[in-house]
Amino acid sequence: MQQCVFCSQNLRDIDYKEVDLLRRFTSGQAKITDPRYTGTCVKHQRHLATAIKRARFMGFLPYVRR
């Protein structure tokens, strides 16, 4: 099993303005990727989903890619 990227780097907060980091955890259709594929723990997956949703609302990430 993979170790969580955020736990291994001791990151506490996931900022919604870090678009390059958030794009790593979205699929080609801009969907939030399943934690089984990304290897994130439950706590950080929740924070990641919230950050992605905030970035979408603020216009930093698209809702749908064409």
Side-chain angles (χ1 to χ4, degrees), residues 4-42:
C4 176
V5 175
F6 303 106
C7 289
S8 64
Q9 295 179 359
N10 286 334
L11 293 176
R12 292 184 181 215
D13 295 328
I14 301 172
D15 192 16
Y16 69 92
K17 293 175 273 187
E18 295 181 28
V19 178
D20 294 330
L21 176 70
L22 297 178
R23 281 203 178 139
R24 288 180 43 200
F25 297 98
T26 57
S27 70
Q29 297 174 342
K31 294 181 180 181
I32 299 172
T33 309
D34 195 279
R36 287 179 283 175
Y37 299 113
T38 59
T40 55
C41 64
V42 174

mmCIF file of all heavy atoms in Angstrom, residues 4-42:
data_model
loop_
_atom_site.group_PDB
_atom_site.id
_atom_site.type_symbol
_atom_site.label_atom_id
_atom_site.label_comp_id
_atom_site.label_asym_id
_atom_site.label_seq_id
_atom_site.Cartn_x
_atom_site.Cartn_y
_atom_site.Cartn_z
ATOM 1 N N CYS A 4 0.512 8.017 2.068
ATOM 2 C CA CYS A 4 -0.116 9.268 1.678
ATOM 3 C C CYS A 4 0.956 10.312 1.374
ATOM 4 O O CYS A 4 1.913 10.475 2.131
ATOM 5 C CB CYS A 4 -1.028 9.745 2.801
ATOM 6 S SG CYS A 4 -1.788 11.333 2.498
ATOM 7 N N VAL A 5 0.805 11.019 0.269
ATOM 8 C CA VAL A 5 1.763 12.040 -0.146
ATOM 9 C C VAL A 5 1.837 13.154 0.890
ATOM 10 O O VAL A 5 2.907 13.651 1.213
ATOM 11 C CB VAL A 5 1.347 12.626 -1.522
ATOM 12 C CG1 VAL A 5 2.245 13.769 -1.918
ATOM 13 C CG2 VAL A 5 1.320 11.549 -2.564
ATOM 14 N N PHE A 6 0.697 13.531 1.420
ATOM 15 C CA PHE A 6 0.646 14.636 2.364
ATOM 16 C C PHE A 6 1.188 14.236 3.730
ATOM 17 O O PHE A 6 1.821 15.050 4.404
ATOM 18 C CB PHE A 6 -0.793 15.154 2.478
ATOM 19 C CG PHE A 6 -1.359 15.582 1.159
ATOM 20 C CD1 PHE A 6 -2.310 14.819 0.503
ATOM 21 C CD2 PHE A 6 -0.923 16.739 0.542
ATOM 22 C CE1 PHE A 6 -2.827 15.203 -0.713
ATOM 23 C CE2 PHE A 6 -1.431 17.140 -0.686
ATOM 24 C CZ PHE A 6 -2.383 16.365 -1.314
ATOM 25 N N CYS A 7 0.964 13.002 4.146
ATOM 26 C CA CYS A 7 1.505 12.530 5.423
ATOM 27 C C CYS A 7 3.025 12.402 5.354
ATOM 28 O O CYS A 7 3.727 12.732 6.305
ATOM 29 C CB CYS A 7 0.907 11.178 5.805
ATOM 30 S SG CYS A 7 -0.816 11.252 6.287
ATOM 31 N N SER A 8 3.547 11.928 4.237
ATOM 32 C CA SER A 8 4.988 11.735 4.109
ATOM 33 C C SER A 8 5.743 13.060 4.058
ATOM 34 O O SER A 8 6.904 13.128 4.454
ATOM 35 C CB SER A 8 5.313 10.910 2.866
ATOM 36 O OG SER A 8 4.932 11.600 1.704
ATOM 37 N N GLN A 9 5.096 14.132 3.600
ATOM 38 C CA GLN A 9 5.737 15.439 3.524
ATOM 39 C C GLN A 9 5.363 16.340 4.697
ATOM 40 O O GLN A 9 5.739 17.502 4.728
ATOM 41 C CB GLN A 9 5.363 16.138 2.215
ATOM 42 C CG GLN A 9 5.882 15.427 1.002
ATOM 43 C CD GLN A 9 5.474 16.134 -0.271
ATOM 44 O OE1 GLN A 9 4.787 17.155 -0.254
ATOM 45 N NE2 GLN A 9 5.891 15.583 -1.396
ATOM 46 N N ASN A 10 4.600 15.814 5.649
ATOM 47 C CA ASN A 10 4.147 16.555 6.827
ATOM 48 C C ASN A 10 3.391 17.831 6.456
ATOM 49 O O ASN A 10 3.566 18.877 7.073
ATOM 50 C CB ASN A 10 5.306 16.901 7.760
ATOM 51 C CG ASN A 10 5.782 15.695 8.526
ATOM 52 O OD1 ASN A 10 5.022 14.764 8.748
ATOM 53 N ND2 ASN A 10 7.036 15.708 8.923
ATOM 54 N N LEU A 11 2.555 17.749 5.423
ATOM 55 C CA LEU A 11 1.728 18.890 5.027
ATOM 56 C C LEU A 11 0.431 18.842 5.824
ATOM 57 O O LEU A 11 -0.256 17.826 5.852
ATOM 58 C CB LEU A 11 1.409 18.844 3.536
ATOM 59 C CG LEU A 11 2.582 19.037 2.591
ATOM 60 C CD1 LEU A 11 2.124 18.868 1.162
ATOM 61 C CD2 LEU A 11 3.199 20.406 2.781
ATOM 62 N N ARG A 12 0.107 19.934 6.469
ATOM 63 C CA ARG A 12 -1.120 19.980 7.264
ATOM 64 C C ARG A 12 -2.271 20.572 6.470
ATOM 65 O O ARG A 12 -3.389 20.084 6.532
ATOM 66 C CB ARG A 12 -0.892 20.791 8.531
ATOM 67 C CG ARG A 12 0.049 20.121 9.476
ATOM 68 C CD ARG A 12 0.178 20.892 10.742
ATOM 69 N NE ARG A 12 1.118 20.196 11.616
ATOM 70 C CZ ARG A 12 0.989 20.154 12.906
ATOM 71 N NH1 ARG A 12 0.003 20.761 13.492
ATOM 72 N NH2 ARG A 12 1.874 19.505 13.637
ATOM 73 N N ASP A 13 -2.000 21.643 5.747
ATOM 74 C CA ASP A 13 -3.057 22.319 5.006
ATOM 75 C C ASP A 13 -2.863 22.112 3.507
ATOM 76 O O ASP A 13 -1.749 22.157 3.009
ATOM 77 C CB ASP A 13 -3.047 23.818 5.294
ATOM 78 C CG ASP A 13 -3.384 24.125 6.747
ATOM 79 O OD1 ASP A 13 -4.169 23.348 7.331
ATOM 80 O OD2 ASP A 13 -2.859 25.108 7.279
ATOM 81 N N ILE A 14 -3.962 21.907 2.827
ATOM 82 C CA ILE A 14 -3.953 21.813 1.374
ATOM 83 C C ILE A 14 -4.610 23.099 0.874
ATOM 84 O O ILE A 14 -5.795 23.322 1.108
ATOM 85 C CB ILE A 14 -4.717 20.568 0.886
ATOM 86 C CG1 ILE A 14 -4.085 19.310 1.479
ATOM 87 C CG2 ILE A 14 -4.720 20.513 -0.626
ATOM 88 C CD1 ILE A 14 -4.869 18.055 1.223
ATOM 89 N N ASP A 15 -3.836 23.935 0.211
ATOM 90 C CA ASP A 15 -4.315 25.243 -0.214
ATOM 91 C C ASP A 15 -5.042 25.128 -1.552
ATOM 92 O O ASP A 15 -4.554 24.472 -2.478
ATOM 93 C CB ASP A 15 -3.144 26.207 -0.335
ATOM 94 C CG ASP A 15 -3.577 27.643 -0.484
ATOM 95 O OD1 ASP A 15 -4.756 27.944 -0.195
ATOM 96 O OD2 ASP A 15 -2.741 28.469 -0.878
ATOM 97 N N TYR A 16 -6.183 25.762 -1.651
ATOM 98 C CA TYR A 16 -6.962 25.691 -2.888
ATOM 99 C C TYR A 16 -6.329 26.497 -4.008
ATOM 100 O O TYR A 16 -6.705 26.353 -5.162
ATOM 101 C CB TYR A 16 -8.400 26.156 -2.640
ATOM 102 C CG TYR A 16 -8.555 27.626 -2.350
ATOM 103 C CD1 TYR A 16 -8.794 28.534 -3.368
ATOM 104 C CD2 TYR A 16 -8.467 28.112 -1.047
ATOM 105 C CE1 TYR A 16 -8.936 29.882 -3.117
ATOM 106 C CE2 TYR A 16 -8.611 29.447 -0.774
ATOM 107 C CZ TYR A 16 -8.845 30.330 -1.808
ATOM 108 O OH TYR A 16 -8.991 31.664 -1.549
ATOM 109 N N LYS A 17 -5.335 27.334 -3.707
ATOM 110 C CA LYS A 17 -4.683 28.144 -4.728
ATOM 111 C C LYS A 17 -3.511 27.431 -5.389
ATOM 112 O O LYS A 17 -2.972 27.926 -6.367
ATOM 113 C CB LYS A 17 -4.208 29.468 -4.121
ATOM 114 C CG LYS A 17 -5.362 30.362 -3.691
ATOM 115 C CD LYS A 17 -4.884 31.582 -2.987
ATOM 116 C CE LYS A 17 -4.754 31.221 -1.528
ATOM 117 N NZ LYS A 17 -4.441 32.328 -0.648
ATOM 118 N N GLU A 18 -3.125 26.273 -4.895
ATOM 119 C CA GLU A 18 -2.036 25.491 -5.489
ATOM 120 C C GLU A 18 -2.620 24.590 -6.578
ATOM 121 O O GLU A 18 -2.844 23.399 -6.384
ATOM 122 C CB GLU A 18 -1.334 24.665 -4.423
ATOM 123 C CG GLU A 18 -0.628 25.503 -3.384
ATOM 124 C CD GLU A 18 0.076 24.659 -2.354
ATOM 125 O OE1 GLU A 18 0.479 23.516 -2.691
ATOM 126 O OE2 GLU A 18 0.213 25.127 -1.229
ATOM 127 N N VAL A 19 -2.831 25.175 -7.731
ATOM 128 C CA VAL A 19 -3.540 24.504 -8.824
ATOM 129 C C VAL A 19 -2.745 23.309 -9.358
ATOM 130 O O VAL A 19 -3.322 22.264 -9.665
ATOM 131 C CB VAL A 19 -3.850 25.519 -9.950
ATOM 132 C CG1 VAL A 19 -4.545 24.841 -11.107
ATOM 133 C CG2 VAL A 19 -4.696 26.643 -9.408
ATOM 134 N N ASP A 20 -1.419 23.435 -9.445
ATOM 135 C CA ASP A 20 -0.613 22.331 -9.975
ATOM 136 C C ASP A 20 -0.717 21.100 -9.088
ATOM 137 O O ASP A 20 -0.776 19.966 -9.581
ATOM 138 C CB ASP A 20 0.848 22.755 -10.104
ATOM 139 C CG ASP A 20 1.035 23.847 -11.147
ATOM 140 O OD1 ASP A 20 0.234 23.861 -12.108
ATOM 141 O OD2 ASP A 20 1.948 24.662 -10.994
ATOM 142 N N LEU A 21 -0.749 21.292 -7.793
ATOM 143 C CA LEU A 21 -0.887 20.180 -6.862
ATOM 144 C C LEU A 21 -2.273 19.549 -6.985
ATOM 145 O O LEU A 21 -2.402 18.317 -7.036
ATOM 146 C CB LEU A 21 -0.665 20.656 -5.421
ATOM 147 C CG LEU A 21 -0.875 19.617 -4.331
ATOM 148 C CD1 LEU A 21 0.236 18.568 -4.391
ATOM 149 C CD2 LEU A 21 -0.927 20.272 -2.986
ATOM 150 N N LEU A 22 -3.295 20.365 -7.083
ATOM 151 C CA LEU A 22 -4.663 19.849 -7.155
ATOM 152 C C LEU A 22 -4.930 19.125 -8.463
ATOM 153 O O LEU A 22 -5.703 18.165 -8.497
ATOM 154 C CB LEU A 22 -5.663 20.999 -6.976
ATOM 155 C CG LEU A 22 -5.615 21.725 -5.636
ATOM 156 C CD1 LEU A 22 -6.617 22.863 -5.636
ATOM 157 C CD2 LEU A 22 -5.875 20.782 -4.491
ATOM 158 N N ARG A 23 -4.287 19.553 -9.559
ATOM 159 C CA ARG A 23 -4.494 18.880 -10.851
ATOM 160 C C ARG A 23 -3.961 17.455 -10.848
ATOM 161 O O ARG A 23 -4.429 16.619 -11.619
ATOM 162 C CB ARG A 23 -3.826 19.674 -11.960
ATOM 163 C CG ARG A 23 -4.663 20.845 -12.356
ATOM 164 C CD ARG A 23 -4.361 21.320 -13.738
ATOM 165 N NE ARG A 23 -5.270 22.436 -14.022
ATOM 166 C CZ ARG A 23 -4.909 23.517 -14.645
ATOM 167 N NH1 ARG A 23 -3.686 23.646 -15.096
ATOM 168 N NH2 ARG A 23 -5.772 24.473 -14.855
ATOM 169 N N ARG A 24 -2.980 17.182 -9.992
ATOM 170 C CA ARG A 24 -2.457 15.819 -9.890
ATOM 171 C C ARG A 24 -3.506 14.849 -9.362
ATOM 172 O O ARG A 24 -3.430 13.646 -9.601
ATOM 173 C CB ARG A 24 -1.256 15.771 -8.949
ATOM 174 C CG ARG A 24 -0.015 16.384 -9.494
ATOM 175 C CD ARG A 24 1.136 16.324 -8.534
ATOM 176 N NE ARG A 24 1.251 15.048 -7.867
ATOM 177 C CZ ARG A 24 1.908 14.840 -6.728
ATOM 178 N NH1 ARG A 24 2.506 15.846 -6.125
ATOM 179 N NH2 ARG A 24 1.960 13.646 -6.181
ATOM 180 N N PHE A 25 -4.493 15.370 -8.650
ATOM 181 C CA PHE A 25 -5.501 14.528 -8.014
ATOM 182 C C PHE A 25 -6.851 14.617 -8.700
ATOM 183 O O PHE A 25 -7.871 14.279 -8.102
ATOM 184 C CB PHE A 25 -5.619 14.908 -6.529
ATOM 185 C CG PHE A 25 -4.351 14.652 -5.770
ATOM 186 C CD1 PHE A 25 -3.453 15.673 -5.525
ATOM 187 C CD2 PHE A 25 -4.041 13.381 -5.346
ATOM 188 C CE1 PHE A 25 -2.281 15.445 -4.842
ATOM 189 C CE2 PHE A 25 -2.865 13.134 -4.663
ATOM 190 C CZ PHE A 25 -1.987 14.163 -4.412
ATOM 191 N N THR A 26 -6.859 15.061 -9.961
ATOM 192 C CA THR A 26 -8.078 15.048 -10.761
ATOM 193 C C THR A 26 -7.822 14.224 -12.017
ATOM 194 O O THR A 26 -6.696 14.130 -12.494
ATOM 195 C CB THR A 26 -8.518 16.469 -11.157
ATOM 196 O OG1 THR A 26 -7.463 17.107 -11.848
ATOM 197 C CG2 THR A 26 -8.899 17.291 -9.945
ATOM 198 N N SER A 27 -8.881 13.657 -12.544
ATOM 199 C CA SER A 27 -8.764 12.819 -13.740
ATOM 200 C C SER A 27 -8.739 13.694 -14.988
ATOM 201 O O SER A 27 -8.806 14.913 -14.914
ATOM 202 C CB SER A 27 -9.934 11.838 -13.796
ATOM 203 O OG SER A 27 -11.134 12.531 -14.063
ATOM 204 N N GLY A 28 -8.696 13.050 -16.138
ATOM 205 C CA GLY A 28 -8.698 13.766 -17.404
ATOM 206 C C GLY A 28 -9.993 14.495 -17.667
ATOM 207 O O GLY A 28 -10.039 15.435 -18.451
ATOM 208 N N GLN A 29 -11.061 14.075 -17.005
ATOM 209 C CA GLN A 29 -12.358 14.735 -17.160
ATOM 210 C C GLN A 29 -12.637 15.695 -16.006
ATOM 211 O O GLN A 29 -13.772 16.097 -15.784
ATOM 212 C CB GLN A 29 -13.460 13.691 -17.236
ATOM 213 C CG GLN A 29 -13.318 12.793 -18.426
ATOM 214 C CD GLN A 29 -14.342 11.675 -18.415
ATOM 215 O OE1 GLN A 29 -14.940 11.382 -17.381
ATOM 216 N NE2 GLN A 29 -14.529 11.050 -19.555
ATOM 217 N N ALA A 30 -11.597 16.031 -15.236
ATOM 218 C CA ALA A 30 -11.652 16.971 -14.105
ATOM 219 C C ALA A 30 -12.448 16.425 -12.927
ATOM 220 O O ALA A 30 -12.972 17.177 -12.122
ATOM 221 C CB ALA A 30 -12.183 18.324 -14.536
ATOM 222 N N LYS A 31 -12.557 15.105 -12.811
ATOM 223 C CA LYS A 31 -13.210 14.496 -11.650
ATOM 224 C C LYS A 31 -12.177 14.268 -10.552
ATOM 225 O O LYS A 31 -10.999 14.044 -10.841
ATOM 226 C CB LYS A 31 -13.831 13.154 -12.021
ATOM 227 C CG LYS A 31 -14.972 13.251 -12.996
ATOM 228 C CD LYS A 31 -15.538 11.885 -13.271
ATOM 229 C CE LYS A 31 -16.674 11.931 -14.248
ATOM 230 N NZ LYS A 31 -17.236 10.597 -14.501
ATOM 231 N N ILE A 32 -12.622 14.274 -9.317
ATOM 232 C CA ILE A 32 -11.727 14.002 -8.194
ATOM 233 C C ILE A 32 -11.390 12.520 -8.218
ATOM 234 O O ILE A 32 -12.279 11.671 -8.233
ATOM 235 C CB ILE A 32 -12.393 14.396 -6.863
ATOM 236 C CG1 ILE A 32 -12.718 15.891 -6.860
ATOM 237 C CG2 ILE A 32 -11.488 14.051 -5.695
ATOM 238 C CD1 ILE A 32 -13.539 16.341 -5.676
ATOM 239 N N THR A 33 -10.087 12.210 -8.223
ATOM 240 C CA THR A 33 -9.633 10.834 -8.353
ATOM 241 C C THR A 33 -9.826 10.074 -7.047
ATOM 242 O O THR A 33 -9.654 10.616 -5.961
ATOM 243 C CB THR A 33 -8.146 10.804 -8.757
ATOM 244 O OG1 THR A 33 -7.970 11.649 -9.886
ATOM 245 C CG2 THR A 33 -7.714 9.405 -9.126
ATOM 246 N N ASP A 34 -10.155 8.813 -7.162
ATOM 247 C CA ASP A 34 -10.395 7.928 -6.034
ATOM 248 C C ASP A 34 -9.118 7.761 -5.199
ATOM 249 O O ASP A 34 -8.030 7.647 -5.758
ATOM 250 C CB ASP A 34 -10.842 6.571 -6.579
ATOM 251 C CG ASP A 34 -11.460 5.713 -5.514
ATOM 252 O OD1 ASP A 34 -10.687 5.096 -4.757
ATOM 253 O OD2 ASP A 34 -12.696 5.666 -5.434
ATOM 254 N N PRO A 35 -9.227 7.725 -3.882
ATOM 255 C CA PRO A 35 -8.029 7.580 -3.041
ATOM 256 C C PRO A 35 -7.315 6.243 -3.218
ATOM 257 O O PRO A 35 -6.132 6.132 -2.889
ATOM 258 C CB PRO A 35 -8.548 7.743 -1.617
ATOM 259 C CG PRO A 35 -10.008 7.619 -1.690
ATOM 260 C CD PRO A 35 -10.422 7.962 -3.077
ATOM 261 N N ARG A 36 -7.986 5.244 -3.768
ATOM 262 C CA ARG A 36 -7.309 3.963 -4.027
ATOM 263 C C ARG A 36 -6.219 4.122 -5.082
ATOM 264 O O ARG A 36 -5.215 3.428 -5.054
ATOM 265 C CB ARG A 36 -8.307 2.906 -4.478
ATOM 266 C CG ARG A 36 -9.191 2.407 -3.351
ATOM 267 C CD ARG A 36 -10.156 1.391 -3.870
ATOM 268 N NE ARG A 36 -11.220 2.121 -4.578
ATOM 269 C CZ ARG A 36 -12.191 1.548 -5.246
ATOM 270 N NH1 ARG A 36 -12.238 0.248 -5.352
ATOM 271 N NH2 ARG A 36 -13.107 2.272 -5.827
ATOM 272 N N TYR A 37 -6.423 5.057 -6.010
ATOM 273 C CA TYR A 37 -5.441 5.287 -7.063
ATOM 274 C C TYR A 37 -4.371 6.299 -6.653
ATOM 275 O O TYR A 37 -3.230 6.197 -7.058
ATOM 276 C CB TYR A 37 -6.124 5.756 -8.346
ATOM 277 C CG TYR A 37 -7.088 4.747 -8.891
ATOM 278 C CD1 TYR A 37 -8.455 5.005 -8.911
ATOM 279 C CD2 TYR A 37 -6.655 3.518 -9.370
ATOM 280 C CE1 TYR A 37 -9.350 4.075 -9.396
ATOM 281 C CE2 TYR A 37 -7.544 2.581 -9.850
ATOM 282 C CZ TYR A 37 -8.885 2.867 -9.864
ATOM 283 O OH TYR A 37 -9.770 1.944 -10.344
ATOM 284 N N THR A 38 -4.770 7.302 -5.861
ATOM 285 C CA THR A 38 -3.826 8.340 -5.476
ATOM 286 C C THR A 38 -3.031 7.977 -4.235
ATOM 287 O O THR A 38 -1.946 8.500 -4.024
ATOM 288 C CB THR A 38 -4.556 9.672 -5.230
ATOM 289 O OG1 THR A 38 -5.519 9.488 -4.193
ATOM 290 C CG2 THR A 38 -5.213 10.168 -6.488
ATOM 291 N N GLY A 39 -3.582 7.122 -3.380
ATOM 292 C CA GLY A 39 -2.875 6.703 -2.176
ATOM 293 C C GLY A 39 -2.990 7.669 -1.023
ATOM 294 O O GLY A 39 -2.210 7.598 -0.076
ATOM 295 N N THR A 40 -3.955 8.573 -1.059
ATOM 296 C CA THR A 40 -4.120 9.509 0.042
ATOM 297 C C THR A 40 -4.918 8.868 1.169
ATOM 298 O O THR A 40 -5.772 8.015 0.935
ATOM 299 C CB THR A 40 -4.839 10.795 -0.415
ATOM 300 O OG1 THR A 40 -6.077 10.428 -1.014
ATOM 301 C CG2 THR A 40 -4.007 11.575 -1.389
ATOM 302 N N CYS A 41 -4.650 9.304 2.390
ATOM 303 C CA CYS A 41 -5.385 8.783 3.540
ATOM 304 C C CYS A 41 -6.754 9.461 3.600
ATOM 305 O O CYS A 41 -7.034 10.419 2.876
ATOM 306 C CB CYS A 41 -4.601 9.002 4.827
ATOM 307 S SG CYS A 41 -4.342 10.719 5.254
ATOM 308 N N VAL A 42 -7.605 8.984 4.478
ATOM 309 C CA VAL A 42 -8.978 9.473 4.556
ATOM 310 C C VAL A 42 -9.015 10.949 4.936
ATOM 311 O O VAL A 42 -9.756 11.740 4.346
ATOM 312 C CB VAL A 42 -9.775 8.638 5.582
ATOM 313 C CG1 VAL A 42 -11.158 9.209 5.795
ATOM 314 C CG2 VAL A 42 -9.853 7.203 5.148
#
